[in-house]
Amino acid sequence: MEERSDSYAEAPKLSLSWSTQLYISFLTVTTDFACRPNGSVNRRFYNFFDRKTKPKANPVNGVTSKDVIVDAAKDVWFRLFAPSSTTAHDVTLPVVMYFHGGGFAFLSPASVVYDALCRRFCHQLNAIVISVNYRLTPEHRYPCQYDDGFAAMKFLEENPSVLPENADLAKCFLAGDSAGANLAHHVAIRITQSELRRVRVLGLLSIQPFFGGEERTKAEIQHDRVPLVSVARTDWMWKAFLPNGSDRNHGSCNVSGPNALDISGLNYPNTLVFVGGFDPLQDWQRRYYEWLRKSGKAAQLIEYPTMFHAFYVFPNLPESSQLISQVKDFIANRVYITQNMTTEGDSQLPKLSLAWHTRFSLSLFAALNDIACRQDGTVNRRFTKIIDRKTKPNATPIKGVISKDVTVDVTKTVWFRLYSPSATTVDGDATLPVLIFFHGGGFAFFAPSSFSYDAVCRRFVRQLNVIVVSINYRLTPENRYPSQYDDGFAVVKFLDENPSILPENADVSKCFVAGDSAGANLAHHVALRVAQSELRKIRIIGLVSIQPFFGGEERTEAEIRLGDGAPLVSMPRTDWLWKVFLPDGSNRDHEAVNVSGPNAMDISGLNYPSTLVFVGGFDPLQDWQRRYFDWLKKSGKEVELIEYPSMFHAFYLFPNLPEAFQLISQVKDFITKEVSNSK
């Protein structure tokens, strides 16, 4: 993602194929002709161009569909999409209730674009999809659409037998795009105020939601002439939708504005919000996300800076497939978390449920770590060499990956292990991004050759299709701050001055810094140094921060609740690690530790890279990690937060955990997006 400026001077360019531009222009012209100046719609004209499809009882791409009547008098019905029996494998499937876009005035589940989109959702998400037909404006004004959406949900509650046997209403998701995302939000509000026995909404997917207000935002002014959505069109649609005499600060339109509903006490679902950089509505969408966060709700924002309103209905766009992949991850994560929830009093907390061998490994490592850390502030290196199993680099491919060690500074033992796909696994003409990785271990333990980190870097190469540079930096307590930051930056400078050391297909103009735990702390500080330096070839376009090791003098709620019982990370251990890392006389509010605290650096003017932050619900450091995320946002930086409520510190090192695989998938999506944005 590219950093936005107040003047939008560095805004990305909208680059579309001629066929996509032609189709968008056709839709725009058709809509403009159908919207009469008197506030009515020329249905005969619009319906002539709005091609409809019939449901298919026979599988098409593994998906069947049928139409189900909810209320014939009001023409409320839904199209039910289900995986065919050959693809469902007798497992229970989540139910996604989808509301189509069209400014509340156009389209239906039978429209070609929405029939195709819901088929793709059904096929790729492996879910039951319910696409709801609701009454349209201006013939039917607010709140008819919200009534119809909630009526469809109540119908499912009362008639679950209309769904396939493997549909699980306890794993239900609301979703919508544009006006449909607005509708999904308001239906979610009604559900939280109602008592449903069977239906349980686990999440809400809000794709470029149609919100607005009386104010003209910066994006509306800047992008008034972009495809599909203009201020004049949205004004017409709001006028046709809202009650007579209402303005755009009505609670249905400006959901986070002066007439906003207080949802702080409601059980509002976890929400995923998608925003496009060429969407005039983007400022309203971000306000919606921020309002949810301020209301104490779990929300995640994903931005597509080079995309326009409704890009997701174009299957030829790679961003469209990427969005579906991110939706799939969100649904899988919410389902998994819910299956591992346990009730304690009135609140629901995730339960740490691990296989015995994972628990044993965690307990063993914690015990060995405590033995190695002496009370005098030194480390028993002889002992750690015995337990920290090392691996050698492999010039011969292992599962498609080769590796070698490269020395940077022999006097300081600074070197890196270089991983790359073997020649047989990558297109010879394709260039690959470079991932500069810093291992964890509290600054005191491990190396790139440690078995667990060698394995995780090999997985990065295979699954992310990148070149990986895994850095060996000096360890504490023998080498205190800022040795580790010096070593990390020294390797970046070495690569900048010696790019030929990398494979020919490595693209150093598309570099990412990444790290886990102490390595994520290190990646942050190296990114700051890069932002303050002038490098000739290296360009850092993204930062992957996996459960970063930050802290402070304060004891946070998570540290108090989890600090003595969570796997690996306890307060005595982290206090010891910080004490042997920091300069003598410093406390944990030092800027190296408490990066967002009283001694925080002002980074608002720096070209800090787009950042992806991962947080675990059983990590005592989680509050510091969220503060890091919030600080980056307040500093005007592009940042995304992904939470794993049922995971512990360093879960990603255990390949047997499905969350470890899911995390790599999300890193892949992030890298793909940032590489695309950098072109």
Side-chain angles (χ1 to χ4, degrees), residues 598-641:
N599 300 307
M601 179 188 295
D602 178 8
I603 65 168
S604 58
L606 295 181
N607 186 26
Y608 193 87
S610 299
T611 304
L612 181 63
V613 182
F614 290 96
V615 174
F618 280 90
D619 185 350
L621 305 179
Q622 61 187 273
D623 292 332
W624 297 110
Q625 295 157 2
R626 292 192 189 94
R627 291 184 189 185
Y628 173 56
F629 165 79
D630 291 335
W631 172 68
L632 289 177
K633 288 287 287 185
K634 290 175 183 176
S635 300
K637 307 308 170 188
E638 299 287 354
V639 60
E640 179 185 339
L641 182 74

Side-chain angles (χ1 to χ4, degrees), residues 446-467:
F446 300 121
S449 55
S450 296
F451 180 81
S452 56
Y453 281 106
D454 182 79
V456 82
C457 286
R458 289 180 177 279
R459 285 160 56 207
F460 281 152
V461 173
R462 285 196 303 271
Q463 297 177 44
L464 304 180
N465 200 26
V466 296
I467 308 294

Side-chain angles (χ1 to χ4, degrees), residues 42-83:
N42 188 333
R43 292 286 174 209
R44 184 174 297 178
F45 173 80
Y46 193 83
N47 289 340
F48 179 79
F49 294 101
D50 181 18
R51 220 171 85 218
K52 299 293 199 297
T53 62
K54 293 182 179 180
K56 305 286 194 306
N58 294 323
V60 177
N61 293 332
V63 176
T64 63
S65 60
K66 67 176 182 179
D67 292 345
V68 178
I69 302 296
V70 174
D71 188 332
K74 295 179 179 176
D75 194 29
V76 180
W77 53 274
F78 59 79
R79 182 158 290 181
L80 170 62
F81 299 86

Side-chain angles (χ1 to χ4, degrees), residues 352 354 358 362 365 439-443 446 453 515-521 545-550 562 566-571 573-574 577-578 614-622 625 644-654 657 663:
L352 185 58
L354 300 173
T358 303
L362 290 170
F365 178 77
H439 66 81
F443 297 112
F446 300 121
Y453 281 106
D516 70 303
S517 193
N521 175 305
S545 185
I546 307 172
Q547 296 182 281
F549 185 38
F550 296 132
L562 300 168
L568 293 181
V569 179
S570 69
M571 290 308 93
R573 290 188 196 110
T574 59
L577 291 169
W578 287 127
F614 290 96
V615 174
F618 280 90
D619 185 350
L621 305 179
Q622 61 187 273
Q625 295 157 2
Y644 283 82
S646 58
M647 285 294 100
F648 54 93
H649 195 83
F651 72 89
Y652 38 84
L653 295 178
F654 293 83
L657 294 175
L663 181 144

Side-chain angles (χ1 to χ4, degrees), residues 232-263:
R233 289 184 201 107
T234 57
D235 284 354
W236 187 96
M237 290 173 177
W238 286 123
K239 188 174 181 181
F241 169 78
L242 292 169
N244 288 324
S246 299
D247 65 17
R248 293 187 304 274
N249 281 334
H250 188 278
S252 64
C253 178
N254 192 353
V255 294
S256 59
N259 300 307
L261 180 69
D262 179 7
I263 65 168

